[in-house]
Amino acid sequence: MFRYKAFGLEISSEVELPGMTPGSENPDVQIIRGEVNHSQVTHVDVEGSNYLVSGEDVYLWWDDIGRVKISEGKRVTVDPIADLEGSDEINVIPFILGPVMALLLHQRRFLVLHGSSVKVHGRAVAFLGNRGNGKSTTAIHLYQDGYPLVTDDILAIKFGEDGLPMVYPGYPHVRLNEDSYNHVKTKTDILTPIRTIVGKVFCDASYGFSSEPVDLERIYVIEKDDKMGIFNLKSQENLFDLIRHSVANRIFQHTTQKENLIHCAQLVNNVNVKRLEISHSFGRIQELVKMIEVDLEKGD
């Protein structure tokens, strides 16, 4: 049995998950191996091409990779196509650490957004965006400039008693494509031979990493644009951006959308959200980093 810690949770797992922070006893979440058969589910709340929601259970499946059942935010049952020792089994690990964990966190009443974040002067600065827009690349370059990683790809938020949002740190690594990795490989390294199905690799970002929750200071919504710039958004635009980048928006639909909308509105009311237009030219990375630093110094 392997033991890890992520998102403030103690996790025990029968599947080895590389690049995670070691954990301890008394798990909040168990990841086990077992049979998963979504075709036998009789009551379905929401159904998609490779997922379904039935009460407190979520089923996911991928051709040639395997099936997973996420139950009540407490247990993940993994049913891989290949044997655990086979190379094909490695393919299921990015899904466990990615969409499976995101859905489990949603079940545990986190507000879960598709984003990455780093720590700037003790507070979290987050980056949201569609796949391929540069969230991880932006985060790793800020990390390279001395800003510790908080989380990559999964932005898990809870609100304190004062109503203010806190980001719960995920894993001390980022997932980068080959081009992005080649630009930072002198200050990080590939942790494992694992690659996601889109070719991304797990890269170390453990320096300065802490598992303690971090107050959320700022959110940037990344859009591609060769001009580059940072722009204020109207509250309605902010709310729309948060909703469309939330896990609940895509899968849970009507089942938990009301709570998700309330959390997104609460976040907009407490955090400054801006649009960050970036160029995907690696030659302008330092310009991007400086632009973010200057904007944060303004404090507006």
Side-chain angles (χ1 to χ4, degrees):
M1 186 69 70
F2 302 94
R3 300 191 184 280
Y4 306 107
K5 184 172 184 177
F7 305 105
L9 303 172
E10 296 291 341
I11 302 167
S12 68
S13 176
E14 293 182 354
V15 180
E16 184 175 7
L17 304 172
M20 291 186 65
T21 301
S24 57
E25 302 288 339
N26 303 318
D28 304 293
V29 176
Q30 293 181 315
I31 301 174
I32 63 171
R33 298 167 58 187
E35 182 179 355
V36 176
N37 189 348
H38 57 276
S39 64
Q40 295 181 353
V41 177
T42 56
H43 171 75
V44 176
D45 295 310
V46 182
E47 188 170 12
S49 59
N50 73 320
Y51 66 87
L52 65 82
V53 180
S54 175
E56 293 296 318
D57 295 328
V58 179
Y59 295 80
L60 300 173
W61 57 91
W62 302 275
D63 293 341
D64 303 322
I65 294 177
R67 298 171 293 272
V68 174
K69 178 183 178 183
I70 312 160
S71 303
E72 300 181 335
K74 297 177 181 178
R75 172 172 291 195
V76 175
T77 306
V78 181
D79 189 1
I81 296 296
D83 182 79
L84 277 173
E85 301 302 321
S87 59
D88 288 342
E89 161 59 18
I90 291 177
N91 291 332
V92 80
I93 293 174
F95 289 98
I96 294 174
L97 296 181
V100 171
M101 185 60 67
L103 292 171
L104 180 138
L105 291 168
H106 176 79
Q107 288 182 332
R108 297 186 72 95
R109 300 300 185 260
F110 282 82
L111 170 59
V112 186
L113 304 175
H114 188 205
S116 302
S117 66
V118 297
K119 190 187 298 184
V120 179
H121 305 310
R123 298 173 70 86
V125 175
F127 303 92
L128 307 184
N130 295 326
R131 188 176 303 278
N133 270 17
K135 299 180 300 298
S136 298
T137 299
T138 301
I140 196 64
H141 279 90
L142 284 163
Y143 167 78
Q144 183 175 285
D145 272 28
Y147 301 103
L149 181 75
V150 178
T151 189
D152 178 54
D153 203 50
I154 300 175
L155 188 69
I157 297 169
K158 278 195 171 182
F159 297 90
E161 293 182 359
D162 56 4
L164 298 179
M166 295 181 293
V167 178
Y168 281 70
Y171 324 121
H173 65 251
V174 297
R175 303 182 194 191
L176 300 174
N177 61 32
E178 198 74 36
D179 288 340
S180 294
Y181 170 66
N182 286 335
H183 281 82
V184 296
K185 63 183 180 182
T186 58
K187 293 192 176 182
T188 184
D189 200 1
I190 297 176
L191 284 172
T192 74
I194 296 174
R195 287 179 177 268
T196 68
I197 59 173
V198 293
K200 291 190 175 183
V201 294
F202 287 49
C203 297
D204 177 71
S206 58
Y207 182 78
F209 185 84
S210 171
S211 59
E212 296 301 314
V214 186
D215 292 335
L216 180 57
E217 172 76 16
R218 178 74 55 85
I219 295 175
Y220 294 101
V221 180
I222 296 179
E223 302 288 351
K224 294 181 182 179
D225 196 306
D226 289 336
K227 295 180 180 179
M228 295 182 59
I230 296 175
F231 304 91
N232 291 317
L233 298 172
K234 298 178 181 178
S235 295
Q236 186 175 1
E237 293 175 307
N238 291 341
L239 183 58
F240 174 75
D241 278 326
L242 295 183
I243 292 171
R244 72 187 176 98
H245 290 301
S246 66
V247 168
N249 186 55
R250 186 173 72 87
I251 288 186
F252 289 91
Q253 297 176 11
H254 64 277
T255 57
T256 54
Q257 276 291 46
K258 181 178 179 181
E259 183 181 30
N260 188 61
L261 179 60
I262 292 171
H263 284 161
C264 287
Q266 186 174 0
L267 190 56
V268 167
N269 289 334
N270 287 283
V271 175
N272 195 344
V273 182
K274 295 189 175 185
R275 183 170 71 249
L276 173 61
E277 296 183 353
I278 70 172
S279 165
H280 278 210
S281 168
F282 287 106
R284 302 184 69 183
I285 285 293
Q286 286 308 308
E287 179 184 349
L288 169 65
V289 170
K290 184 62 177 178
M291 185 172 66
I292 293 170
E293 289 175 331
V294 169
D295 185 67
L296 290 171
E297 287 174 3
K298 293 178 182 178
D300 56 358

